């Protein structure tokens, strides 16, 4: 099965949500308390996905709000430098700050993120700053769940979704759950369910779907049964290194396998997966190939230091897929 996107659109994908900064531990394999130096990268899940898509050759744009300071300007310059259209990134005029994510790399398996997100500019995006004329130029609107955590960003995103649906722009909902931004699980579940039911494609980890459903140890079968009563035509559920599943409304199930690699850190997997999975879908590849693209992109990024700067090219992804399929053939 292939997803059909509107043709004749200037942008393949427009993402909405946070563009922030990652400060990744330069000394790895030690706790944060003993980490003395950090390297700065652009971060924030939807920004990472827009950057990843742009590096793959898609025409990507971004809707968001940046701090009116050096950090905000660094983010804008980096994103436009890699080809993301930043014309709809507005600059905050009320003193709000850039969100920061300090990453701790204790071991390749044990990574955590310490987020500084009080009064962050991205959550102050106003509905009036979302422009229909921009959204209607896209094939896909990529919505990050974290942008639903607080008003006015929440209403700005809901407006963007309404405009996307009005203009035949496919809505992709990346659950991107970051607990510290939300006040309660009940509230998260309400907004996640509302948006997932309206989206065309929903992507998240099994744990994130549990948050959406406000359950512990939910099942993929139950998730898709509920979601396919509404708008979604494709649901992707990720299970970390165990791989991922894509379910279609028409009843097909596809399994994606992780490509084992030398892992430096685990974060960045989800965003690199999303950008390459969407690249493959938007360029007309089938879902099985899209799962391979997502998994290969994630394997490349978890073996490198950053999330955004490490995003691979199409050639790197194709090379990894080919090498691994040759190896699998030799072993069989
Ligand atoms: N340690 C790993 N090695 C190789 N690939 C990985 C690893 N962890 C995750 N991946 C790949 O990244 C995808 C997304 O990872 P996951 O951890 O489920 O998402 P998230 O980063 O959003 O929590 C997985 O489906 C898998 O293909
Ligand atoms: O999303 C953030 O605000 C932090 C990211 O920039 C960071 O790189 C990260 O955590 C990415 O992790 P992923 O969700 O596993 O891709």
């Amino acid at each position: 099965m292939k997803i059909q996107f509107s043709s004749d659109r200037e942008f393949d994908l427009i993402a909405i949500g946070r563009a922030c900064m990652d400060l990744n531990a330069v000394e790895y394999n030690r706790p944060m308390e003993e980490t003395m130096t950090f390297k700065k990268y652009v971060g924030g899940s939807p920004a990472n996905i827009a950057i990843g898509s742009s590096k793959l050759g898609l025409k990507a744009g971004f809707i968001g709000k940046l701090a009116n300071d050096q950090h905000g300007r660094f983010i804008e310059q980096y994103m436009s430098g890699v080809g993301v259209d930043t014309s709809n990134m507005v600059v905050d005029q009320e003193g709000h700050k850039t969100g920061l994510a300090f990453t701790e790399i204790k071991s390749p398996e044990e990574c955590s993120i310490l987020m500084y997100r009080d009064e962050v500019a991205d959550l102050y995006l106003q509905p009036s700053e979302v422009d229909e004329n921009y959204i209607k130029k896209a094939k896909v609107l990529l919505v990050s769940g974290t942008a639903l955590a607080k008003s006015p960003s929440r209403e700005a995103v809901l407006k963007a979704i309404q405009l996307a649906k009005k203009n035949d722009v496919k809505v992709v909902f990346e659950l991107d759950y970051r607990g510290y931004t939300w006040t309660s699980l009940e509230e998260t579940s309400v907004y996640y369910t509302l948006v997932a039911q309206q989206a065309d494609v929903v992507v998240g980890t099994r744990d994130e779907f549990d948050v959406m459903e406000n359950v512990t140890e939910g099942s993929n079968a139950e998730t898709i049964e509920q979601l396919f009563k509404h708008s979604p035509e494709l649901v992707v559920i990720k299970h970390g290194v165990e791989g991922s599943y894509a379910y279609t409304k028409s009843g097909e199930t596809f399994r994606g396998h992780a490509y084992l690699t030398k892992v430096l850190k685990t974060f960045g997997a989800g965003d690199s997966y999303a950008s390459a999975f969407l690249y493959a879908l938007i360029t007309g590849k089938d879902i099985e190939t899209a799962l391979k693209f997502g998994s290969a992109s994630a394997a490349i990024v978890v073996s490198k230091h950053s999330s955004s700067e490490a995003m691979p090219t199409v050639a790197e992804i194709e090379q990894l897929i080919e090498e691994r399929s040759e190896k699998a053939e030799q072993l069989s």
Side-chain angles (χ1 to χ4, degrees), residues 18 20-22 24 41-46 48 99-101 103 113 115 117 146 174 176 178 180 208 238 265-273 301 306-308 311:
R18 70 191 182 288
C20 300
M21 241 163 54
D22 286 354
N24 291 0
Y41 299 99
V42 171
S45 173
N48 289 337
L100 303 179
T103 58
I113 299 183
M115 285 229 165
R117 288 194 48 76
T146 298
E174 218 311 334
D176 176 37
R178 306 283 174 178
Y180 24 74
E208 289 173 329
K238 299 175 291 176
K265 44 83 179 145
T266 50
F267 52 86
D271 299 338
S272 48
Y273 178 98
V301 168
S306 73
S307 300
S308 53
M311 290 287 181

Side-chain angles (χ1 to χ4, degrees), residues 214-225:
N214 207 1
V215 297
T216 44
E217 300 195 25
S219 81
N220 292 2
E222 177 69 13
T223 300
I224 58 168
E225 190 191 329

Side-chain angles (χ1 to χ4, degrees), residues 174 205 208 238-244 256-261 263 266-271 273 294-296 298-299 302:
E174 218 311 334
T205 63
E208 289 173 329
K238 299 175 291 176
H239 294 257
V241 77
E242 305 292 314
S244 53
H257 294 275
Y259 293 99
L260 297 184
T261 185
V263 178
T266 50
F267 52 86
D271 299 338
Y273 178 98
S295 307
V302 294

Side-chain angles (χ1 to χ4, degrees), residues 3-6 11-14 53 58-59 138-142 170 172 274-286 290:
I3 305 275
Q4 299 301 323
F5 299 93
S6 296
F11 292 97
D12 293 300
L13 174 147
I14 291 178
S53 311
L58 293 185
K59 182 70 195 140
K139 293 180 184 165
V140 166
L141 175 75
L142 176 101
K170 294 276 184 202
V172 176
S275 52
F277 181 82
L278 291 174
Y279 163 82
L281 285 189
I282 293 170
T283 54
K285 300 189 194 310
D286 58 29

Side-chain angles (χ1 to χ4, degrees), residues 75-93:
I75 294 166
E76 194 280 325
Q77 284 163 17
Y78 182 86
M79 290 180 71
S80 56
V82 295
V84 177
D85 177 72
T86 58
S87 61
N88 279 246
M89 293 180 84
V90 288
V91 177
D92 175 84
Q93 300 301 337

